[in-house]
Amino acid sequence: MTTPASRAALTVRPIDASEHLDFVRGRSSVSFLQTPAWAAVKAEWRGESIGWFDGTTIVGSALVLYRQLPKLKRYLAYLPEGPDIDWTDADLARWLTPMAAHLKAQGAFGIRMGPPVVTRRWHAGTIKQAIADPVLGSLSEVPADELDDTAIGVVATLEQLGWNEIPTTGGFSAGQPKFNFQLPLAGRDEDAVLAGMNQLWRRNIKKAAKAGVEITTGTRDDLAEFHAVYAETAERDHFTPRPLPYFERMWDAMTAEEPDRVVLYLAHHEGDLVAATTMVRVGTHAWYSYGASTTAKRDVRGSNAIQWQMIRDAMAAGATTYDMRGITETLDSDDSHVGLIQFKVGTGGEAVEYLGEWDLPLNRALHRGFTTYMRRRG
Amino acid sequence: MSGFELDVDAARWRRHVAATVEARRGLVPVIKGNGYGLGRSLLAMEAAAVGLGTIAVGTYAEVPGALASFAGDVMVMTPWRPFFTDAVLDDRVIHTLGRISDVADLAALAPSARVLLEGETSMSRHGLDRHELAAAVAALGDLRLEGFAIHLPLQAASGGPGRPGGNVAEAESWAAALETSQVDTTTLYVSHLTPGEVGALAARRPQLDIRPRIGTSLWLGDLGALSVRATVLDSHLVSRGEHIGYRQRAMPRDGTLLVIAGGTSHGIGLEAPKASSGAVQRGKLLAKGGLEAAGLSLSPFTIAGKQRWFAEPPHMQASMIFVPASVTAPEVGDAVDVAVRFTTATFDSINLR
């Protein structure tokens, strides 16, 4: 990347889905929110694949989702967990400036992106100790076990280029979570991963096996069964469930791209479905995306068993990261969200902090109006 | 009595030092700068006499003297930098490190040196960000880690803006950070916590060995044991309008002009920015306007119970002081009291009595 020839200006132009998919397949991994299939999942947004070109060679890609402003032909251009460009390039302007020009020409009044850049990592042991310490209330107050200076340098560059970080409260924003929990799999075998889990996880995995919990993978037809359990979970945990057609659309779009892009897991005990989940994988990165469990038969530990099966399948498929997705920043043991972190911490993985989501206003008045509108919408 | 002198009631002063050492377990005496007016070598010997094994100095320039007058360990509070030309690499020296690159550089230069890591507090002076601790540990190599240090602001207990809970909360946050970090030490050196604050911290963090680094309240904690006296070297009757001194300034009234030992070389007339800046303090300064308007300023010399005015700016080793005719002036050879800022004072002699 440092030879003079490669320092030429990059161009950005739309690419078709197959060109986009070819580029994604050539990468170790990108976020599943940056695959061409995701545009089909997000029906209320208009999707566009774009590529960065150095001469005729494609060197980066992104999925852009356009959300129209009410009554206006102007759009927010959103690149969730993207774009997939060389974030270690000290000259980020040569990537982001032509992107902004292209999106503006497409009618964008503002751009929102979530650079897939990890700034800090905290190991499970550190988090566990921090939760036990009443003085430490959030991850930011806990010394990180790994800090990426280059990634932190990106913040200064983005600010220079006019981007603003979208503030979050407790790590939750309207968009994708800033703090995530990941289980590293690279260079580890099943025994090593199991040994890294806490005693409760190991005991529950054994307990489920002894109780005769069976894990199978399902087909599109089993989505309805998954959805029934998911709706039960939503009611119990007080969140708004997505309708079944959403999952069917996701299934169709994603499996059309790669047959095993998304896999449905079902945990049965004596014929009863006790837990159901989906796992998404792009290259070396596997995500636990949706999970549900019944209130009945919690003691057979279907949740632990189904996670363990997904982890083993991810390893077998060559994944180096098993991603359990968002956590809140809180470590306050009185906060109800801490239970979720504790469940994830039990896998022996690590909390990772991403750069967060960033906005570039292209039309300040419209952008301000949109921000207010979104805030009212909640 | 011959000049600008410090008289120390040695028994009383040592009683305070010993009582402080007794009350504040694990303390490391700070011996830096002008030795709080008493001199660094005197303080080093006193530290040894009360059985302390480690002293803390401010800079590397102070290390050779400390090693010469003290047989124990010498901790340097200014963080080591690769460009320091006077850094002393001795096994009795404990270095402070506050940047990751410095950790790596010292590990390469002196692989088995003894070190402290310092955290950056709200002082924002020196130290590592808490998220840099793992990288600092990774850079340590064979360096011998002896503890972790934090330096807190002076303003004790009451939380300033943006610092709810003040020093104690900040210290506890660092103690918690230290315990969850990869930094492999249980020794925490703290500055500027009151005895009560250290006690509370130690009670809440029993795993940690909290060691306060103390200077002023140890050496200058009982000012009644210290008296500064200056000898009157000469005395002249002057009348209003008479021109005197280097600058041939006209005297505002009739009175006595005293020439007293103690000038700029002793730290007289050197003003540091005022620590107190409240409205009352500012009002007091304004109220002194009278003689200031005549071009005079208040001296630290006390005669007949009042601070008197400089007749002209202090000379290098003596000062010219105006005493109005209504006051009985001291005789040549008499001593007068002087209020000094001990951290900037230099005495012609220090008399332990």
Side-chain angles (χ1 to χ4, degrees):
Chain A
M1 297 307 293
T2 53
T3 56
S6 74
R7 304 310 301 170
L10 300 175
T11 53
V12 170
R13 62 169 171 80
I15 52 178
D16 61 33
S18 67
E19 199 176 357
H20 187 186
L21 188 58
D22 280 349
F23 183 73
V24 167
R25 284 183 176 138
R27 307 281 288 165
S28 163
S29 183
V30 301
S31 167
F32 68 92
L33 306 179
Q34 282 294 311
T35 57
W38 194 250
V41 178
K42 291 308 209 191
E44 69 276 30
W45 301 66
R46 176 169 67 83
E48 179 189 51
S49 292
I50 59 171
W52 278 256
F53 290 85
D54 186 355
T56 55
T57 314
I58 183 166
V59 291
S61 76
L63 175 69
V64 186
L65 300 172
Y66 293 96
R67 178 89 175 223
Q68 193 178 345
L69 267 189
K71 297 179 197 145
L72 282 176
K73 285 246 173 278
R74 302 299 296 276
Y75 305 88
L76 174 72
Y78 181 37
L79 294 77
E81 299 185 1
D84 178 29
I85 58 174
D86 180 7
W87 288 97
T88 64
D89 190 337
D91 184 9
L92 280 175
R94 71 195 271 270
W95 299 84
L96 298 176
T97 306
M99 175 184 88
H102 169 76
L103 299 179
K104 191 171 188 180
Q106 297 293 305
F109 64 84
I111 309 172
R112 180 168 296 181
M113 65 174 180
V117 172
V118 171
T119 52
R120 296 184 283 199
R121 294 177 190 271
W122 292 262
H123 299 159
T126 306
I127 302 167
K128 194 180 153 204
Q129 201 176 356
I131 291 172
D133 197 314
V135 171
L136 301 169
S138 72
L139 271 180
S140 295
E141 293 167 43
V142 182
D145 292 302
E146 290 169 50
L147 174 78
D148 188 329
D149 284 327
T150 315
I152 283 165
V154 172
V155 171
T157 308
L158 290 180
E159 282 168 352
Q160 273 167 20
L161 295 175
W163 293 81
N164 309 307
E165 187 181 357
I166 301 168
T168 60
T169 46
F172 267 155
S173 69
Q176 302 304 322
K178 179 169 183 168
F179 292 93
N180 286 267
F181 201 86
Q182 297 176 350
L183 178 63
L185 302 174
R188 305 171 78 191
D189 60 15
E190 283 184 16
D191 288 344
V193 172
L194 203 55
M197 291 185 174
N198 71 11
Q199 206 186 7
L200 186 66
W201 262 82
R202 290 200 303 267
R203 200 160 52 206
N204 285 344
I205 288 169
K206 256 188 228 154
K207 199 170 171 180
K210 210 169 157 193
V213 172
E214 280 178 38
I215 314 291
T216 54
T217 57
T219 65
R220 187 184 195 279
D221 294 341
D222 297 313
L223 281 173
E225 208 186 352
F226 156 80
H227 195 263
V229 182
Y230 166 76
E232 183 186 333
T233 305
E235 197 179 337
R236 186 180 66 230
D237 294 348
H238 311 291
F239 63 86
T240 314
R242 294 180 184 280
L244 177 59
Y246 176 85
F247 291 98
E248 290 173 339
R249 194 166 65 237
M250 184 171 93
W251 183 273
D252 294 340
M254 294 177 92
T255 55
E257 198 168 85
E258 302 283 355
D260 62 348
R261 177 75 86 220
V262 57
V263 179
L264 173 64
Y265 285 84
L266 304 162
H268 284 95
H269 179 257
E270 291 169 356
D272 299 326
L273 184 63
V274 293
T277 54
T278 57
M279 182 169 84
V280 175
R281 187 175 58 81
V282 181
T284 57
H285 204 114
W287 291 264
Y288 156 49
S289 60
Y290 285 96
S293 59
T294 57
T295 307
K297 292 198 174 182
R298 293 190 79 74
D299 55 318
V300 301
R301 300 297 168 189
S303 291
N304 297 92
I306 209 165
Q307 289 287 342
W308 178 229
Q309 188 61 48
M310 287 193 290
I311 292 165
R312 282 190 291 172
D313 289 356
M315 290 180 101
T320 53
T321 301
Y322 180 73
D323 197 321
M324 305 182 82
R325 297 199 55 84
I327 53 173
T328 57
E329 211 202 330
T330 183
L331 296 175
D332 182 350
S333 50
D334 294 332
D335 188 315
S336 61
H337 291 120
V338 87
L340 183 67
I341 301 176
Q342 279 169 323
F343 176 75
K344 294 179 179 180
V345 163
T347 62
E350 58 194 22
V352 293
E353 178 197 45
Y354 282 90
L355 214 52
E357 294 205 311
W358 292 72
D359 265 348
L360 181 69
L362 297 173
N363 176 322
R364 294 206 174 264
L366 283 178
H367 189 266
R368 203 158 37 236
F370 172 78
T371 312
T372 314
Y373 163 73
M374 288 302 280
R375 208 175 292 135
R376 289 218 192 99
R377 239 174 126 244
Chain B
M1 178 56 67
S2 62
F4 188 71
E5 305 187 17
L6 171 63
D7 287 344
V8 181
D9 178 342
R12 179 173 168 178
W13 181 68
R14 286 185 176 129
R15 228 170 14 248
H16 169 77
V17 169
T20 306
V21 170
E22 176 64 28
R24 308 200 63 179
R25 292 250 163 241
L27 85 75
V28 175
V30 176
I31 300 176
K32 65 180 181 183
N34 68 342
Y36 299 84
L38 292 138
R40 296 196 304 270
S41 59
L42 169 70
L43 298 187
M45 287 185 283
E46 294 295 328
V50 291
L52 295 171
T54 305
I55 61 174
V57 300
T59 66
Y60 280 100
E62 296 167 357
V63 172
L67 289 174
S69 52
F70 185 75
D73 292 338
V74 175
M75 184 175 277
V76 189
M77 296 197 293
T78 297
W80 180 85
R81 294 285 187 260
F83 49 80
F84 281 173
T85 51
D86 57 353
V88 179
L89 300 173
D90 183 288
D91 207 47
R92 283 204 283 138
V93 174
I94 300 168
H95 309 268
T96 300
L97 295 170
R99 301 187 306 170
I100 294 169
S101 64
D102 290 349
V103 178
D105 287 347
L106 185 62
L109 179 74
S112 62
R114 302 164 67 191
V115 300
L116 302 181
L117 292 178
E118 181 169 356
E120 185 191 342
T121 65
S122 53
M123 280 281 284
S124 297
R125 190 166 65 176
H126 306 302
L128 297 154
D129 180 273
R130 62 181 62 202
H131 299 293
E132 294 178 321
L133 295 181
V137 169
L140 276 174
D142 293 330
L143 290 173
R144 285 179 279 163
L145 182 65
E146 308 235 337
F148 190 82
I150 52 170
H151 213 98
L152 294 163
L154 271 174
Q155 176 202 36
S158 67
R163 294 179 61 241
N167 279 356
V168 127
E170 187 170 5
E172 199 181 359
S173 162
W174 267 106
L178 174 62
E179 291 192 80
T180 49
S181 74
Q182 297 178 14
V183 179
D184 188 15
T185 182
T186 53
T187 305
L188 177 63
Y189 291 92
V190 298
S191 307
H192 297 148
L193 288 182
T194 65
E197 290 169 335
V198 172
L201 185 61
R204 286 207 283 267
R205 299 281 158 183
Q207 310 88 314
L208 293 182
D209 182 16
I210 315 279
R211 303 196 60 179
R213 297 195 289 202
I214 302 172
T216 307
S217 66
L218 174 66
W219 306 120
L220 302 175
D222 182 6
L223 286 175
L226 308 171
S227 54
V228 180
R229 295 160 66 74
T231 307
V232 177
L233 302 173
D234 226 325
S235 171
H236 311 282
L237 289 176
V238 288
S239 44
R240 183 166 185 271
E242 189 175 339
H243 293 266
I244 60 103
Y246 279 127
R247 290 171 175 79
Q248 289 297 294
R249 183 177 279 184
M251 299 311 299
R253 298 183 208 159
D254 292 350
T256 309
L257 182 67
L258 296 173
V259 181
I260 305 181
T264 52
S265 72
H266 300 94
I268 293 294
L270 301 182
E271 290 245 23
K274 286 280 185 296
S276 168
S277 58
V280 173
Q281 180 75 12
R282 278 199 297 273
K284 280 182 182 166
L285 288 172
L286 279 174
K288 290 193 305 197
L291 278 168
E292 263 176 314
L296 302 187
S297 44
L298 203 58
S299 85
F301 296 95
T302 301
I303 292 161
K306 272 182 80 175
Q307 270 178 274
R308 299 297 167 180
W309 297 84
F310 281 116
E312 71 165 356
H315 301 171
M316 193 164 165
Q317 293 185 307
S319 295
M320 297 181 86
I321 302 298
F322 177 75
V323 179
S326 56
V327 175
T328 311
E331 300 292 324
V332 171
D334 284 354
V336 301
D337 287 333
V338 198
V340 296
R341 174 180 278 235
F342 280 93
T343 52
T344 55
T346 307
F347 301 101
D348 294 328
S349 66
I350 297 168
N351 315 305
L352 271 67
R353 296 174 194 277

